[in-house]
Amino acid sequence: MKAAVVLFPGSNREGDVASAIKRISGKAANIVWHADSELPANTDLVVLPGGFSYGDYLRCGAIAARAPIMNAVRAHAERGGLVLGICNGFQILCEAQLLPGVLQRNAQLRFMCREVYLRVERSDTPYSRRYNAGDVLKIPVAHGEGNYTADDETIKRLEGDGRVLFRYVSPEGKLDPKWNHNGATNAIAGILSEKLNVLGLMPHPENHVDPMIGPTDGRGLFESINTVLEAA
Amino acid sequence: MNISNTVKITPELVAEHGLKPDEYERILKLIGREPSITELGIFSAMWNEHCSYKSSKVHLKTLPVTGPIVIQGPGENAGVIDIGDGLACVFKMESHNHPSFIEPYQGATTGVGGILRDVFTMGARPIACLNALRFGSPDHPRTRHLVSGVVAGIGGYGNSFGVPTVAGSVGFHSRYDGNILVNAMAVGIADADKIFYAKATGVGLPVVYLGSKTGRDGIHGATMASAEFGEGAEEKRPTVQVGDPFAEKLLLEACLEIMAKDCVVAIQDMGAAGLTCSAVEMGAKGDLGITLDLEKVPVREEAMTAYEMMLSESQERMLMVLKPGKEAEAEAIFKKWGLDFAIVGYTTDTLRFLIRHNGEEMADLPIKELGDQAPEYNRPFTESPKLPVLDAASVPAPTSLGDALGKLVGSPDLCSKRWVWEQYDHLILNNTVQRPGGDAAVVRVQDGPKALALCTDVTPRYCEADPFEGGKQAVAECWRNLTAVGSTPLAITDNLNFGNPERPEIMGQFVGCIRGIKEACLALNFPVVSGNVSLYNETQGRGILPTPTIGGVGLLKNFEQSATLAFKASGEAILLIGETRGHLGQSAYLATLFGREEGAPPPVDLTAEKRHGDFVRDLIAKGRVTAVHDCSDGGLLVALAEMAMASGIGAKLEAAPSGLPAHAFWFGEDQARYVLTVPAAAAPEIESAAKAAGIPALRLGVTAGEQLTLPGENPISVAELKQRHESWLPDYMAGNG
């Protein structure tokens, strides 16, 4: 795996995701500056990390989506390369139109940091092959604007194409408004691009990889990526 | 309105600057002429209570501030202690009470921003934030709005800046109705040999302005923080600054980068009184003069006067003295992060603080005297009258213990604060070993195994009833909470919130609390390394409860050996360490169930405190206990309920010992106590070890089932308790409370 973690001014989980990548793949990620115009040669995974890029001023992710490095990220995605956007990264991917839809303010209008339960909807993607469809993961969220929505047509297409990878569910794996903490449409927590190579999700799998700190349900996502890239 | 520099200085103008007539006389004597308006502003900024500590200094000097682990005590941006392996912990707590009452969101954000800046100014990377919040009565019409704004503000800043907010305390009392408390603490880690200080050295070196641009916000903020609120507090809104966590995050990264490149001689953040205070500190500490050319200051508003620039409290700004020849390198780093960088002056050997604006002299003052010759008062004080110890028999029994327990765990002060801490990102940086909700947070240092234990504590109603015992108790409880997670308590920061020091009875509270803090710090070997004093916390002549918040730092050699409060399994023995006399005076039981705040608070026996704590810490280190919880507000039964609610496991409890009313035993707030669980087979050995050490240990019962059962009482469902514990705050905030 040769990962590039993009550092925008205001990113703040770049270290967490870089250390998760190192922990699982054994390989250090390159930290790439937002003002650069190219990714390091042979990059096979681009990560847009969590944080408040450009202060989230204007709209979450809107300014970052227009940063110089994003042309290279877009080209990488168009070539079929893997692009993972977590939290603010997901917001940036939506603003860059690499993924459809938007992330609105949480339904209860407050920032929320808590562990939530995610159901894995399919295992045949580069991000989930180390999970089984139907697995329930305990993963933390930390966001104020994670309420995913899109127009009816887009939601229908996402659902029809099986591009919803993670959903907020009860600990037993059932859809339940009580466990959809931010009010996302169809309890959507993470979605894939048409070619399944771009993933955006609000929760932070990178914060649940270390048994000394908490649950390790986030490991599977990085192990899946590593398996795919090492096999390539 | 522009204030020109040729304004006639009238007594009214002097008074508007918060300076008393005798203080103005002192200025005249010091400089031998009438000051210019800019100079008057500079004096008012340097000599107000907030910056000069003029009422508190004489007492603060009595606190123990040294010890083998202390690298830097009070007087710098933050305190620094040695945590071994070449690492230092840098921490401090500071209040932002007045601004938060006027504009809760921005007041709280800038409080967090200011304290973070204090920590990274010293070269440390922040790893955790904490806070201590006190609001008015839940019934007061403004309380909900203030809670909502302050909590969102604290979260809004810390979450964006990217540091976990890991612990804190939240309390309510009508005495804070017109004057809430927002105390924010930040903790950072640095290499012990790479700490940066404010003291400038070297003549002719560039003084550099870094960070955000200067605007008209916050002019006279520090003066406001040194005055009582009257009816027109709303009108003070223009003096509240606006926080920009994004700019601060960039400033952090740029400062740490510039420090790593060895460019920096001295650094001081621009906090209260902005450019004035930071420049004077750097010069006065280094026995140097400073000359500033204000036209070089980056500004974001037009036609700013010298007066305005010197007093602006715009946020996210720093002042540095650079090493010779490092200007270009430093500038490149700041430009990379998109921040302003301007050489605004230089150091001199004149010991003068010389301010020029477009070539014209606006101020020329002796720099040492600006800081050192600030008035210092030993204000008259009267000791608080001692209250009698309340006889437990005179306190009514509850209808049932279960009913009383339900009311306590569902009360505003003792309910779960999840609604608050879920708005704080407490997981970022991946090092939060123990999250909010325990006795203290535990945060791993770098890759471990070392970790820091962190907490904030104070029981204001104890301090009101007996400032000396209350001061002792605040320190002792902090020490106990750090011990309960298994850490060795190292040092504290204090945030002393009081009313108007010009009233002898308020000054008496202040002096009493300081004496108590001093005694406890000495007995527990727990020095004060940084702190902040917030006086004049009054509205319309009514003071707050005396609230000396204590922020503590403890060290765990190995975070895997930290203890948590949740019961771990059924069938384990529950032990109480420490003596129970059933002290109900000033208890949560008395206040919550009967609305009475009466009697003396529980006395703190510091010898017992130390002996019991050392015993418990040793048991934790040897892995002999499965759960540990400090016994404090609400007493023993509340402590047990918290251990049960954290796990879902209940307990079968024995009857209270004869000789004490049951409610005094279960709800008394005697100090120096811990509740432990141990495997049943190990209990006798631990009991005899306690006996051998002269430490009271009492078998309370055994963990079992999903209820708390007491002889002669209906079983109490843990799930129902938890429901009450968790629901009060969200219901209240939703308007259903």
Side-chain angles (χ1 to χ4, degrees):
Chain A
M1 179 184 334
K2 189 164 182 203
V5 176
V6 179
L7 178 57
F8 300 97
S11 295
N12 62 25
R13 265 186 165 86
E14 74 282 1
D16 293 9
V17 74
S19 104
I21 287 169
K22 178 83 199 295
R23 180 180 288 274
I24 280 147
S25 71
K27 294 181 186 130
N30 286 303
I31 303 289
V32 179
W33 187 238
H34 67 112
D36 289 351
S37 52
E38 282 178 42
L39 294 165
N42 305 319
T43 294
D44 52 17
L45 168 70
V46 175
V47 181
L48 307 184
F52 290 69
S53 56
Y54 303 89
D56 275 355
Y57 298 142
L58 188 57
R59 233 181 15 247
C60 297
I63 304 176
R66 287 147 184 87
I69 194 66
M70 287 305 290
N71 289 327
V73 174
R74 195 182 305 277
H76 176 78
E78 278 163 9
R79 286 194 301 271
L82 298 187
V83 179
L84 169 64
I86 303 172
C87 198
N88 193 224
F90 185 11
Q91 294 162 340
I92 296 168
L93 289 173
C94 289
E95 286 287 344
Q97 298 188 7
L98 284 164
L99 290 172
V102 294
L103 293 143
Q104 312 178 101
R105 282 196 76 185
N106 294 350
Q108 79 298 89
L109 305 180
R110 293 194 304 276
F111 185 96
M112 300 204 88
C113 177
R114 59 160 65 159
E115 282 169 333
V116 300
Y117 296 92
L118 299 183
R119 189 172 69 205
V120 181
E121 299 293 73
R122 58 190 284 190
S123 65
D124 57 341
T125 81
Y127 299 98
S128 60
R129 60 176 55 197
R130 297 293 286 268
Y131 298 119
N132 294 313
D135 278 357
V136 177
L137 316 177
K138 193 186 209 185
I139 305 277
V141 293
H143 57 245
E145 303 185 36
N147 174 356
Y148 182 82
T149 197
D151 59 78
D152 293 348
E153 196 59 34
T154 303
I155 295 289
K156 206 183 287 174
R157 201 170 64 242
L158 284 172
E159 295 286 3
D161 295 350
R163 284 163 57 194
V164 176
L165 184 56
F166 300 113
R167 252 184 254 276
Y168 304 113
V169 292
S170 71
E172 298 77 34
K174 301 273 182 286
L175 283 171
D176 179 347
K178 207 180 105 192
W179 292 94
N180 179 8
H181 68 282
N182 62 23
T185 302
N186 292 3
I188 290 171
I191 57 166
L192 294 154
S193 62
E194 273 175 54
K195 290 190 279 181
L196 311 185
N197 61 318
V198 179
L199 169 67
L201 77 167
M202 286 314 297
H204 290 284
E206 75 276 24
N207 284 125
H208 269 189
V209 295
D210 181 352
M212 294 303 167
I213 293 297
T216 54
D217 291 357
R219 294 183 69 101
L221 185 135
F222 297 99
E223 285 167 356
S224 298
I225 299 170
N226 195 41
T227 307
V228 168
L229 295 178
E230 292 307 312
Chain B
M1 179 188 73
N2 270 343
I3 302 173
S4 99
N5 204 25
T6 49
V7 174
K8 172 84 188 139
I9 308 296
T10 61
E12 293 74 31
L13 203 50
V14 170
E16 271 173 39
H17 281 75
L19 291 162
K20 305 262 158 32
D22 59 321
E23 291 174 341
Y24 184 65
E25 284 303 315
R26 200 182 176 107
I27 292 171
L28 293 178
K29 208 185 278 175
L30 195 61
I31 64 173
R33 60 178 164 81
E34 183 171 283
S36 71
I37 183 70
T38 304
E39 289 173 329
L40 186 69
I42 289 171
F43 272 109
S44 110
M46 292 305 297
W47 285 12
N48 66 53
E49 191 65 59
H50 187 84
C51 291
S52 73
Y53 294 93
K54 60 190 171 191
S55 301
S56 57
K57 211 189 255 173
V58 61
H59 302 288
L60 295 176
K61 281 178 190 159
T62 64
L63 290 170
V65 297
T66 55
I69 52 129
V70 178
I71 296 175
Q72 174 66 52
E76 275 285 342
N77 283 301
V80 186
I81 57 173
D82 187 346
I83 57 167
D85 303 317
L87 293 176
C89 172
V90 179
F91 66 103
K92 189 182 178 187
M93 181 159 40
E94 203 162 84
S95 63
H96 233 214
N97 305 336
H98 294 82
S100 301
F101 182 74
I102 296 170
E103 212 299 280
Y105 185 93
Q106 294 300 345
T109 61
T110 49
V112 175
I115 198 66
L116 282 165
R117 224 154 40 242
D118 279 336
V119 163
F120 71 77
T121 299
M122 304 212 57
R125 181 172 280 278
I127 62 160
C129 278
L130 297 88
N131 53 72
L133 312 177
R134 291 291 182 281
F135 297 101
S137 160
D139 302 330
H140 191 274
R142 281 193 73 156
T143 301
R144 207 177 264 110
H145 158 75
L146 291 168
V147 173
S148 167
V150 166
V151 170
I154 290 174
Y157 207 96
N159 298 344
S160 175
F161 181 82
V163 63
T165 300
V166 295
S169 59
V170 182
F172 299 86
H173 197 285
S174 59
R175 293 276 293 279
Y176 304 105
D177 280 352
N179 196 124
I180 62 171
L181 300 185
V182 175
N183 294 176
M185 172 170 164
V187 182
I189 296 291
D191 287 336
D193 60 351
K194 291 192 190 112
I195 306 292
F196 289 83
Y197 297 99
K199 179 183 168 184
T201 51
V203 172
L205 296 182
V207 174
V208 179
Y209 172 111
L210 309 163
S212 299
K213 294 186 199 307
T214 296
R216 290 193 171 91
D217 42 340
I219 291 175
H220 280 317
T223 314
M224 171 183 80
S226 307
E228 289 175 44
F229 279 162
E231 285 280 6
E234 303 285 346
E235 290 161 23
K236 307 241 182 200
R237 191 166 286 151
T239 56
V240 179
Q241 318 88 309
V242 174
D244 180 354
F246 172 60
E248 179 126 319
K249 167 78 171 155
L250 304 180
L251 191 58
L252 162 77
E253 299 299 341
C255 283
L256 293 185
E257 200 170 325
I258 222 168
M259 287 165 171
K261 294 265 165 66
D262 199 22
C263 299
V264 180
V265 173
I267 175 165
Q268 175 75 29
D269 90 288
M270 290 192 228
L275 195 50
T276 294
C277 206
S278 55
V280 170
E281 288 263 316
M282 288 174 68
K285 280 190 174 145
D287 288 330
L288 293 170
I290 301 261
T291 296
L292 297 179
D293 289 305
L294 296 183
E295 66 279 6
K296 293 178 180 158
V297 171
V299 291
R300 61 176 144 79
E301 292 180 64
E302 281 178 24
M304 285 189 69
T305 63
Y307 177 90
E308 289 168 329
M309 280 193 255
M310 292 311 292
L311 296 181
S312 163
E313 291 192 359
S314 292
Q315 298 288 292
E316 292 89 22
R317 303 180 300 159
M318 291 273 190
L319 209 59
M320 274 187 196
V321 173
L322 286 180
K323 288 193 174 164
K326 292 283 190 178
E327 294 92 328
E329 194 176 351
E331 184 167 6
I333 291 169
F334 267 74
K335 292 282 157 78
K336 181 182 102 180
W337 288 99
L339 293 165
D340 271 306
F341 175 100
I343 296 174
V344 295
Y346 49 90
T347 58
T348 68
D349 59 4
T350 61
L351 288 176
R352 303 294 293 182
F353 188 42
L354 180 62
I355 307 298
R356 295 185 299 221
H357 194 197
N358 297 319
E360 195 185 333
E361 286 189 10
M362 308 306 268
D364 183 0
L365 298 170
I367 202 162
K368 297 284 283 182
E369 287 77 359
L370 262 180
D372 295 351
Q373 303 283 311
E376 207 175 303
Y377 298 121
N378 192 351
R379 297 192 187 276
F381 61 90
T382 50
E383 281 190 35
S384 303
K386 290 275 179 201
L387 298 173
V389 174
L390 204 63
D391 179 5
S394 75
V395 176
T399 43
S400 77
L401 292 174
D403 177 64
L405 180 60
K407 284 180 176 147
L408 282 166
V409 300
S411 68
D413 277 348
L414 300 184
C415 71
S416 164
K417 301 304 184 306
R418 181 183 303 274
W419 185 92
V420 171
W421 52 255
E422 279 195 344
Q423 295 187 56
Y424 306 150
D425 189 337
H426 49 271
L427 298 174
I428 190 166
L429 304 182
N430 249 349
N431 284 319
T432 311
V433 179
Q434 279 202 42
R435 302 178 190 176
D439 284 328
V442 176
V443 178
R444 182 169 62 178
V445 175
Q446 296 176 346
D447 291 328
K450 197 184 290 257
L452 297 177
L454 308 167
C455 65
T456 62
D457 289 287
V458 62
T459 313
R461 60 180 193 277
Y462 293 175
C463 297
E464 166 89 359
D466 185 336
F468 176 69
E469 287 298 329
K472 271 164 69 181
Q473 196 273 344
V475 175
E477 186 175 349
C478 175
W479 190 87
R480 205 181 312 137
N481 278 324
L482 296 177
T483 297
V485 297
S487 79
T488 303
L490 294 181
I492 62 169
T493 178
D494 57 6
N495 198 152
L496 308 171
N497 309 274
F498 290 82
N500 180 349
E502 293 163 45
R503 289 174 209 280
E505 66 278 15
I506 300 286
M507 204 57 210
Q509 293 174 341
F510 183 79
V511 172
C513 283
I514 292 264
R515 285 181 184 157
I517 291 168
K518 174 191 169 186
E519 185 151 313
C521 287
L522 287 173
L524 299 171
N525 192 17
F526 203 29
V528 182
V529 298
S530 58
N532 169 242
V533 179
S534 173
L535 301 174
Y536 297 96
N537 289 290
E538 306 206 355
T539 305
Q540 295 167 38
R542 193 173 181 220
I544 58 161
L545 293 179
T547 313
T549 312
I550 304 297
V553 174
L555 181 66
L556 278 146
K557 286 203 183 91
N558 185 345
F559 69 89
E560 290 181 68
Q561 286 168 352
S562 83
T564 61
L565 62 81
F567 288 147
K568 300 301 181 302
S570 283
E572 296 200 319
I574 307 170
L575 297 178
L576 172 66
I577 299 296
E579 192 180 4
T580 303
R581 293 183 179 173
H583 189 103
L584 285 173
Q586 301 299 338
S587 63
Y589 173 81
L590 193 61
T592 305
L593 271 79
F594 304 100
R596 288 164 56 187
E597 291 175 31
E598 293 170 13
V604 182
D605 176 345
L606 293 165
T607 313
E609 196 69 68
K610 177 136 187 11
R611 196 165 57 226
H612 301 177
D614 289 348
F615 179 75
V616 169
R617 191 181 314 104
D618 187 55
L619 289 178
I620 299 169
K622 289 180 174 143
R624 296 174 70 187
V625 291
T626 48
V628 181
H629 189 17
D630 143 64
C631 191
S632 58
D633 259 8
L636 189 48
L637 200 54
V638 167
L640 288 162
E642 286 166 347
M643 299 173 85
M645 290 187 289
S647 62
I649 298 170
K652 191 170 180 304
L653 301 169
E654 310 280 341
S658 59
L660 269 186
H663 58 286
F665 178 74
W666 291 115
F667 299 117
E669 297 184 0
D670 306 270
Q671 300 293 297
R673 296 186 303 162
Y674 299 82
V675 181
L676 320 174
T677 59
V678 301
E685 202 185 324
I686 289 172
E687 285 170 308
S688 52
K691 196 173 174 193
I695 293 168
L698 180 68
R699 192 87 71 104
L700 293 172
V702 60
T703 56
E706 294 170 351
Q707 298 173 324
L708 295 177
T709 59
L710 286 149
E713 292 272 335
N714 289 327
I716 307 161
S717 153
V718 174
E720 278 172 31
L721 278 180
K722 186 159 179 160
Q723 165 63 24
R724 293 186 79 163
H725 187 57
E726 291 292 345
S727 62
W728 186 84
L729 192 49
D731 285 354
Y732 171 71
M733 292 308 297
N736 311 328

